[in-house]
Amino acid sequence: MERKRVLIVGGVAGGASCAARLRRLDEQAEIVVFDKGPYASFANCGLPYYVGDVISDEKRLLVATPELFRTRFNIEVRTEQEVTGIDRPSRQVEVKDLCTGRVYHEAYDALVLAPGATPVRPPLPGIDLSGIFTLRTIPDSRRIRAWIEETAARKAVIVGGGFIGLEMAENLARRGLGVSIVEMSDQVMPSLDREMAEYVCAHLIANRVPVHLGDAVACFEGVDGRVTSVVNRSGAALAADMVILSIGVKPETKLASDAELELGPRGGIRVDESMRTSDHRIWAVGDAVEVHDFITGEACVVPLAGPANRQGRIAADAICGRPARFRGVQATAVCGVFGLTVATTGITERRLVLAGNTDYYAVYLHPGSHAGYYPGAKPIHLKLIFRKSDGLVLGAQAVGEEGVERRIDVISLAIHRNSTVFDLEEAELCYAPQFGAAKDPVNLAGMVAANVVRGDVQLANWASLTGTDAFLVDVREEDEFKLGAIDGAINVPLSQLRRRVGELPRDREIWVTCGVGQRSYYAVRFLRQNGFAVRNLPGGYQTWRMWYPGGLATNPATSCIWLP
Ligand code: FAD
């Protein structure tokens, strides 16, 4: 059999997994991996924890060394070698040895591009001051650690409240720095819907991390070339001994576009389902590529390690002539911040609204992480989004201290298998008191949603609460109601509802609420069977607190600054 020569540009998540899979499939192939950095196959997801000294030995970030690739897999990994050009007609790449400056050429039968993405550095005044960092590589994390140690930095400003920004906030706080976050949009964690992100914001503030929402950096100021403050468009100036920019990444497409490979509408390298580019000898994987959204089918760029690894494997299969198909991304992700776990999969309500899609419902639940009678259960705030017409599961988001990622992983697989809320209702999940409940939060979410699809209960929409002329009834007990209630709601406890039903109007729609949505569901069923036009406000007062200012993060006791 002819010996194939496969060159791979980029030796981390996508590139390394492609190389290793190739070797398992083809013992004869010559495989050479180039990385312009000093390391290949390192754990970029671990970098924030190296900065925070949770991982204190840098070597632990190295998943596999070039030596291991050579001895275990007979794969040649060349670090500090930048691939600077692709000559498609002659099937060669141009490589620059970054140590010696030598330029040389290498021929390929198949070429895999896995160059990742570049952190965005906005061209703002002062951006070149020292002490302003992005985080992508081991040397980046080393520079940040050195800066903290050498300058005895006390105050850090994180620009961007996405998952890397939040992980950095936690890790810098862990090192004793005072940290604040500036975020241009009206929420942190853009992969969540705003009301779910409210929990995260409240939690950051509770951990003494002020969050400046709805504000953007105008410029950086410094003394003697070193950053001293971040000035926002609102005029607020935040003292800063260091700044972390975490405002997103751009697919690394220079090589591809110089070689006139097709790019997609989102700016990533265009690939087909087998990760093949517009050139049939060139594949591309990872953060650099544009793939399709599993749910909407739209083109998207989702920079996550799971898809990069899977795509590397698929490209290897395809190069070896195996049928392989990337099924799309659901953007399943998890992030830990100060003991809170935030996880998400599938589409958000915000994206559905933006797309003008109204064929969906969203329900909220706040179940315990395990059976209530066993000590230590923690609430999981869960939002499930599903199709109105048939109950197809479209997305889920969850926030809590325990058991969050397990529930989102189950729902992620449900989405992947095109399951419905009826499947979640029936899912058989493991249970013992310390781990879950006989009706697991995933089952409960399915049951609540299935009740809606079956027409047993109609939902009221939280977004329509302001301005509705519905009659609002809160069926919690009086002492609970006194502690706080939705403006305008009247209190008729469930235990008194049958006796006091005559107090409710028959000529107006009634919207019922309670603590977390369970008692209001009982009330809805009772009222409905008594001829009332009635809707349930999903998730009860707990959900209202996320939806409306004054609820969680914007509590006056906190220092969250929100500019509408
Ligand atoms: P990369 O892993 O970035 O590898 C690309 C490599 O290509 C780089 O080493 C680069 O030096 C090299 N390269 C680029 N151009 C050239 C060239 N011309 N010649 C030679 N070499 C080149 N994802 C998660 O799912 N969960 C997480 O918790 C998570 N945490 C993260 C935390 C941080 C701080 C960062 C930065 C990312 C995190 N990610 C996380 C994202 C995840 O790391 C990426 O999605 C994934 O690494 C992408 O893999 P990739 O192979 O496409 O690119």
Side-chain angles (χ1 to χ4, degrees):
M1 205 169 76
E2 192 194 328
R3 191 172 187 229
K4 229 190 264 125
R5 188 158 208 257
V6 186
L7 304 185
I8 301 178
V9 183
V12 190
S17 61
C18 181
R21 173 77 173 164
L22 269 170
R23 173 56 73 230
R24 292 194 292 275
L25 298 181
D26 185 348
E27 184 51 31
Q28 302 308 317
E30 186 185 353
I31 306 166
V32 185
V33 178
F34 301 91
D35 204 294
K36 66 181 178 185
Y39 306 101
S41 195
F42 66 91
N44 19 22
C45 308
L47 297 178
Y49 302 93
Y50 178 51
V51 172
D53 218 25
V54 178
I55 301 168
S56 49
D57 181 0
E58 192 184 285
K59 288 196 204 74
R60 294 192 70 87
L61 296 169
L62 302 176
V63 181
T65 58
E67 172 69 2
L68 185 134
F69 270 106
R70 191 175 56 76
T71 53
R72 190 173 289 178
F73 300 116
N74 187 25
I75 290 170
E76 190 185 342
V77 174
R78 299 188 196 166
T79 54
E80 295 177 281
Q81 309 290 310
E82 181 174 3
V83 175
T84 46
I86 307 170
D87 182 357
R88 287 168 54 195
S90 68
R91 278 193 267 136
Q92 286 198 347
V93 293
E94 180 187 85
V95 188
K96 183 171 183 189
D97 182 328
L98 298 179
C99 301
T100 63
R102 182 174 76 96
V103 174
Y104 59 99
H105 294 85
E106 295 285 357
Y108 62 83
D109 298 307
L111 174 66
V112 180
L113 303 179
T118 318
V120 174
R121 257 187 108 87
L124 292 169
I127 187 76
D128 293 326
L129 289 165
S130 56
I132 302 178
F133 301 96
T134 55
L135 179 62
R136 183 81 197 175
T137 63
I138 291 181
D140 291 341
S141 58
R142 211 184 273 154
R143 277 190 284 273
I144 296 172
R145 279 175 67 111
W147 183 268
I148 295 169
E149 282 149 25
E150 285 161 18
T151 68
R154 303 302 310 151
K155 285 190 174 149
V157 174
I158 312 270
V159 185
F163 77 91
I164 294 179
L166 299 195
E167 288 179 353
M168 283 305 291
E170 176 182 271
N171 279 291
L172 291 177
R174 187 175 271 137
R175 297 213 43 170
L177 277 87
V179 182
S180 53
I181 297 176
V182 179
E183 166 57 56
M184 193 155 76
S185 81
D186 64 351
Q187 67 171 82
V188 292
M189 291 290 283
S191 53
L192 296 180
D193 284 319
R194 196 200 60 79
E195 76 283 8
M196 295 298 290
E198 195 80 349
Y199 283 111
V200 187
C201 203
H203 194 68
L204 286 165
I205 290 157
N207 282 278
R208 292 191 292 281
V209 176
V211 185
H212 299 257
L213 294 177
D215 208 352
V217 176
C219 67
F220 302 97
E221 287 180 347
V223 173
D224 296 335
R226 196 164 127 175
V227 71
T228 51
S229 71
V230 174
V231 181
N232 291 342
R233 285 191 201 151
S234 65
L238 310 173
D241 301 320
M242 62 184 292
V243 174
I244 305 286
L245 297 171
S246 53
I247 52 176
V249 293
K250 262 190 14 219
E252 182 54 73
T253 55
K254 184 166 182 329
L255 267 182
S257 58
D258 286 355
E260 295 181 358
L261 295 175
E262 276 178 34
L263 302 186
R266 306 262 166 194
I269 304 171
R270 191 196 287 273
V271 288
D272 67 11
E273 289 185 330
S274 67
M275 309 310 300
R276 199 190 287 252
T277 66
S278 51
D279 180 320
H280 76 288
R281 295 229 177 222
I282 305 179
W283 283 258
V285 301
D287 288 2
V289 303
E290 197 162 296
V291 284
H292 70 276
D293 183 295
F294 183 83
I295 292 160
T296 63
E298 287 164 7
C300 62
V301 175
V302 176
L304 286 172
N309 275 277
R310 298 200 315 274
Q311 291 161 7
R313 205 178 143 86
I314 285 168
D317 281 15
I319 290 167
C320 293
R322 292 193 171 203
R325 185 179 149 256
F326 184 69
R327 302 181 191 179
V329 278
Q330 290 167 229
T332 306
V334 63
C335 171
V337 52
F338 296 105
L340 195 71
T341 309
V342 187
T344 172
T345 185
I347 199 159
T348 57
E349 186 171 6
R350 180 180 53 245
R351 280 184 53 208
L352 287 164
V353 170
L354 274 173
N357 185 337
T358 54
D359 184 17
Y360 76 90
Y361 284 125
V363 291
Y364 301 87
L365 295 88
H366 311 277
S369 52
H370 58 247
Y373 64 83
Y374 188 88
K378 301 280 170 45
I380 297 177
H381 307 291
L382 177 60
K383 176 175 186 177
L384 181 73
I385 303 168
F386 52 98
R387 201 152 69 190
K388 257 184 202 172
S389 38
D390 56 4
L392 185 79
V393 183
L394 301 174
Q397 300 156 44
V399 181
E401 290 174 42
E402 218 178 83
V404 167
E405 68 285 8
R406 168 153 82 85
R407 275 55 186 226
I408 291 298
D409 276 342
V410 170
I411 298 174
S412 165
L413 191 59
I415 293 175
H416 194 78
R417 300 300 304 155
N418 292 314
S419 303
T420 64
V421 297
F422 307 109
D423 298 317
L424 298 187
E425 199 179 20
E426 289 297 323
E428 189 168 306
L429 302 171
C430 51
Y431 160 61
Q434 66 271 46
F435 301 113
K439 281 184 196 156
D440 189 86
V442 171
N443 298 129
L444 285 175
M447 289 169 191
V448 170
N451 286 340
V452 177
V453 180
R454 288 193 190 101
D456 290 341
V457 62
Q458 284 186 300
L459 295 179
N461 186 342
W462 285 106
S464 315
L465 186 64
T466 328
T468 179
D469 58 0
F471 190 79
L472 293 181
V473 179
D474 187 327
V475 296
R476 290 177 298 163
E477 294 304 313
E478 283 156 9
D479 50 349
E480 293 172 271
F481 185 78
K482 278 187 198 138
L483 291 177
I486 300 174
D487 293 343
I490 64 136
N491 185 215
V492 183
L494 183 63
S495 53
Q496 302 172 18
L497 187 61
R498 285 180 177 81
R499 178 162 52 82
R500 292 176 54 190
V501 69
E503 295 173 27
L504 302 184
R506 288 193 174 272
D507 57 347
R508 275 170 78 184
E509 191 167 77
I510 296 173
W511 288 9
V512 190
T513 184
C514 65
V516 293
Q518 191 173 8
R519 282 171 287 177
S520 59
Y521 167 60
Y522 302 150
V524 163
R525 291 299 302 153
F526 164 74
L527 291 171
R528 193 133 165 227
Q529 291 175 69
N530 279 275
F532 287 88
V534 58
R535 290 179 187 270
N536 194 9
L537 277 158
Y541 184 62
Q542 178 66 44
T543 307
W544 178 83
R545 294 179 67 220
M546 296 140 63
W547 264 90
Y548 287 94
L552 291 170
T554 44
N555 185 312
T558 69
S559 53
C560 183
I561 298 148
W562 188 76
L563 299 173

